[in-house]
Amino acid sequence: MTAFRDFPEITHRVDGAAIDAYAELSGDFNPLHVDPDYAAAGPFGTVVAHGPVGLQTVFAAAVRWLGGDRLATGTRIDVAYRGPVRIGDEVTCRADEVLDHAGSLAVRVTAVNQHGDDVLQALVIVPRDAVPRA
């Protein structure tokens, strides 16, 4: 069975185009995400990415770990956002541990920015039969 040490570390650099593309895709045009003047006066002092933009590293790592081109049917990702992702941030997803979880495997991951600040924590729950064998 694949071990968590084989869970890849993935880094994505977030740019304004990714934020704009997600706004178009989702219809979420909250000015904290798309209006630099509005966002400058807000709690983060700048535009911040939508949560799923930072979460993309977790999806990419899980897909690569499973060896396919998409998440296995029945995979669930539970996420807790811990901090903002700003334009220019490099978000890196790393596995912390793998747990047995009710007939599935649960990979606990943390995503950090280039300063080492947590931006999110997630639990990737994968049906055991979807995990490739070594």
Side-chain angles (χ1 to χ4, degrees):
M1 173 176 348
T2 300
F4 86 97
R5 68 180 172 278
D6 299 326
F7 194 90
E9 183 174 295
I10 300 282
T11 300
H12 286 165
R13 185 173 187 280
V14 175
D15 60 19
I19 294 170
D20 291 344
Y22 187 81
E24 287 291 331
L25 177 70
S26 67
D28 181 353
F29 293 96
N30 181 318
L32 285 175
H33 303 307
V34 298
D35 183 339
D37 293 330
Y38 179 89
F44 304 112
T46 188
V47 166
V48 294
H50 304 78
V53 173
L55 185 61
Q56 179 57 32
T57 59
V58 176
F59 282 98
V63 167
R64 186 177 298 168
W65 183 60
L66 293 171
D69 61 355
R70 65 186 64 141
L71 290 175
T73 300
T75 299
R76 189 175 89 226
I77 299 178
D78 297 333
V79 62
Y81 295 101
R82 301 290 186 210
V85 173
R86 295 174 170 86
I87 293 174
D89 277 356
E90 294 182 4
V91 178
T92 300
C93 168
R94 296 184 182 106
D96 298 323
E97 65 180 322
V98 172
L99 310 162
D100 282 314
H101 182 76
S104 298
L105 288 181
V107 183
R108 188 182 316 242
V109 298
T110 301
V112 298
N113 65 18
Q114 69 277 12
H115 305 295
D117 301 326
D118 283 3
V119 296
L120 64 87
Q121 293 175 332
L123 194 62
V124 181
I125 301 168
V126 181
R128 188 174 295 280
D129 62 355
V131 178
R133 303 204 185 281

